[in-house]
Amino acid sequence: MDMDAFSAVNADKWTRLHELAHKGKLSGPEADELLALYQATSAHLSLIRSVAPESGLSASLSATLAQARTRFTGARSNPMADLERFFVLALPAAFYRLAWLTLACGAAFLIIGAAYAIWIGSSPEALRAVASEAAAKQYVEEDFIDYYSENPAASFAGAVWTNNAWISAQAVALGITGVWVPIILFTNAQGVGVAAGIFAAAGKSDVFFSYILPHGLMELTAVFIACAAGLRIFWAMVSPGPRTRLRAVAEEGRSLVTVALGLVLVLFVSGLVEGFVTPSPLPVWAKIAIGAAVLACYWTYALVWGRRAYLAGERGDLRREDAGYTEIAA
């Protein structure tokens, strides 16, 4: 099919459909015309996609048809139904798809962090390369602990939430590069490992873990989830399978932006724990138990609800009609 000739013949119809789809109020004859043009253009789009499925013309007509459809079908769902679908189906399914990759990222983090902690904690030369004796002593006895209580709990929780959400968003958005996720994992593991090593050298590992575990269990898991999402987008580009590379990246990108939105809420809970529980006078066992309970709630949500949604066919993507893949046939 000659696309240029086909476009020249039907351009007026597509332009008219676009005008009617975006017009404020339609008369009776205009509504009939809109429906007829919608049906004809749907057929045109099917032909175009059989020849050039990822073309700019295909995307443009899909957007016009979506707008036209809303004129005679109205809203497809109410906001509450959309929220229900997001939290009951889309988000847990997206988390479930990342479960094993999340654990792999966590394992890499722990290996790197433990290596740094053991090296610095057992080597006086390595410790001196990181900090002087006075600086290490001040960090262990004052700076590390004061970090969690020097600001009001509410403002500290908000700052932590914002910072961690930004890190997670970067991991998802820039994961397609293939290098950003390893950088995030390595630098964060290095930072935690160095801190643990300094405390180990001072014989106060218990103090370190009593402060890092209550919020860190969920906070670090959230970082691993974001890194897993970024890697999935990267792998969709490297190995798209039977899909075109553009479509594979688009589908994974939409699904995993769902993860980024969900992580905003996950990190909000983690920020509350870090701001209000970690520096609190509660017994250490109680603080760690709270952090462990938050983590258990996440994995129950991801593995139980997520598996159920995944087996039902949910992948965390937009509905196919919202993504522009299907239209009502003529």
Side-chain angles (χ1 to χ4, degrees):
M1 182 176 70
D2 187 330
M3 291 292 294
D4 291 335
F6 187 75
S7 298
V9 170
N10 295 289
D12 290 342
K13 295 179 182 178
W14 301 337
T15 300
R16 178 60 176 164
L17 176 63
H18 185 274
E19 292 174 354
L20 291 174
H22 291 82
K23 188 174 180 180
K25 186 176 181 180
L26 299 177
S27 64
E30 287 175 331
D32 292 339
E33 183 184 6
L34 173 68
L35 181 57
L37 289 171
Y38 175 86
Q39 293 174 329
T41 305
S42 293
H44 297 162
L45 181 59
S46 296
L47 288 173
I48 292 169
R49 281 185 170 155
S50 68
V51 177
E54 305 295 343
S55 66
L57 178 59
S58 173
S60 176
L61 288 182
S62 179
T64 299
L65 285 167
Q67 176 63 27
R69 184 175 60 244
T70 63
R71 297 305 305 273
F72 54 79
T73 63
R76 289 182 292 278
S77 61
N78 61 59
M80 294 306 297
D82 289 337
L83 284 174
E84 180 182 2
R85 177 182 178 274
F86 179 80
F87 286 109
V88 176
L89 296 174
L91 183 59
F95 281 154
Y96 178 77
R97 293 177 65 220
L98 296 174
W100 285 108
L101 196 50
T102 297
L103 293 175
C105 290
F109 180 96
L110 290 176
I111 291 171
I112 296 169
Y116 269 96
I118 293 171
W119 178 42
I120 293 173
S122 60
S123 171
E125 293 80 9
L127 178 61
R128 284 195 296 271
V130 172
S132 65
E133 182 178 349
K137 181 179 181 180
Q138 180 174 337
Y139 180 74
V140 170
E141 296 181 356
E142 299 179 24
D143 294 349
F144 182 82
I145 297 173
D146 290 347
Y147 168 75
Y148 295 100
S149 57
E150 61 186 1
N151 293 306
S155 62
F156 177 62
V160 167
W161 176 34
T162 302
N163 179 66
N164 290 329
W166 172 238
I167 292 173
S168 298
Q170 289 181 69
V172 176
L174 300 178
I176 195 171
T177 64
V179 298
W180 196 250
V181 167
I183 289 173
I184 288 176
L185 278 175
F186 182 83
T187 55
N188 280 273
Q190 181 186 49
V192 172
V194 168
I198 293 174
F199 272 85
K204 294 187 177 181
S205 292
D206 57 329
V207 176
F208 174 78
F209 287 110
S210 72
Y211 276 88
I212 203 73
L213 287 179
H215 64 276
L217 289 171
M218 189 67 254
E219 181 181 283
L220 290 174
T221 299
V223 174
F224 305 153
I225 297 165
C227 289
L231 290 176
R232 277 297 290 261
I233 297 174
F234 170 69
W235 191 246
M237 181 182 68
V238 173
S239 180
R243 302 172 291 181
T244 64
R245 184 165 280 103
L246 182 61
R247 179 163 181 168
V249 171
E251 288 179 350
E252 291 295 342
R254 287 194 305 268
S255 298
L256 299 175
V257 165
T258 297
V259 172
L261 294 174
L263 285 179
V264 172
L265 299 177
V266 171
L267 288 167
F268 174 71
V269 175
S270 176
L272 291 178
V273 174
E274 186 167 0
F276 291 92
V277 176
T278 297
S280 74
L282 288 171
V284 172
W285 67 264
K287 293 191 285 188
I288 295 176
I290 291 172
V294 171
L295 183 64
C297 287
Y298 165 76
W299 281 111
T300 300
Y301 179 71
L303 297 181
V304 178
W305 285 31
R307 183 174 185 272
R308 186 183 305 152
Y310 183 85
L311 293 177
E314 181 63 51
R315 296 297 182 268
D317 197 358
L318 297 174
R319 295 183 179 91
R320 292 186 64 81
E321 62 268 23
D322 292 331
Y325 290 137
T326 59
E327 302 293 343
I328 299 174

